[in-house]
Amino acid sequence: MSRDPCDGCGKPVPISGGIANLWSFSGDEAGGMTLEFDSDGSEHFLCFDCIERLPDDPSAADVAALSEAEARDDD
């Protein structure tokens, strides 16, 4: 299973599918998804924890706020 960083928190998120899982039937699940926001048309790959922290009708600024909050939490 491959991993991509979350656009919100930066943590590596498992991505299901692809060549890595071609012969594996272990039922690995993705840890996030790509969302396209109607408010500004931006696209972001986010982990499920960050998706839950987004407000209704999010924008790219809300994703940036997630990464800033994560940076403050790491200090």
Side-chain angles (χ1 to χ4, degrees):
M1 180 173 280
S2 64
R3 295 180 177 269
D4 271 349
C6 172
D7 292 343
C9 64
K11 295 177 182 171
V13 179
I15 301 171
S16 62
I19 193 73
N21 291 341
L22 186 61
W23 300 111
S24 173
F25 300 104
S26 62
D28 294 331
E29 294 184 16
M33 64 177 57
T34 300
L35 302 177
E36 182 177 352
F37 299 150
D38 290 334
S39 60
D40 60 7
S42 63
E43 240 182 52
H44 304 277
F45 179 72
L46 299 168
C47 67
F48 292 129
D49 289 338
C50 285
I51 290 172
E52 290 179 11
R53 294 170 37 203
L54 288 173
D56 292 339
D57 197 26
S59 67
D62 296 315
V63 174
L66 291 173
S67 62
E68 291 169 8
E70 187 69 26
R72 283 192 305 269
D73 291 344
D74 288 342
D75 291 338

